[in-house]
Amino acid sequence: MRFVEEIDLEPGDTVGIAGNHWDGNSKGSNKRTGAIGLYPSYKTIDKRVVVEYPLYPEVPITES
């Protein structure tokens, strides 16, 4: 069953997640098309980007 608010997804699309409806759908935006709506959560996989956190050695650490 396809919901009226469901957005189209193509393989490789990036989706910004806005929330999970806990009924098998999530709300988000397709970054390729700009469309906002629901999509079946099982059709997506998590993409995580890990970045190095900056260090500031010139800033003294103080205990509060």
Side-chain angles (χ1 to χ4, degrees):
M1 181 172 106
R2 187 172 168 98
F3 292 94
V4 174
E5 306 92 6
E6 190 173 309
I7 59 175
D8 290 323
L9 298 176
E10 296 291 329
D13 282 352
T14 300
V15 180
I17 302 169
N20 186 328
H21 288 244
W22 299 107
D23 62 356
N25 290 290
S26 293
K27 183 174 182 182
S29 60
N30 184 325
K31 299 302 183 181
R32 177 179 56 85
T33 65
I36 298 172
L38 299 176
Y39 61 91
S41 302
Y42 74 91
K43 290 188 176 184
T44 61
I45 58 172
D46 289 341
K47 177 181 178 183
R48 299 175 195 260
V49 178
V50 179
V51 297
E52 292 289 327
Y53 198 85
L55 301 175
Y56 303 98
E58 66 278 4
V59 177
I61 298 175
T62 59
E63 300 284 331
S64 47

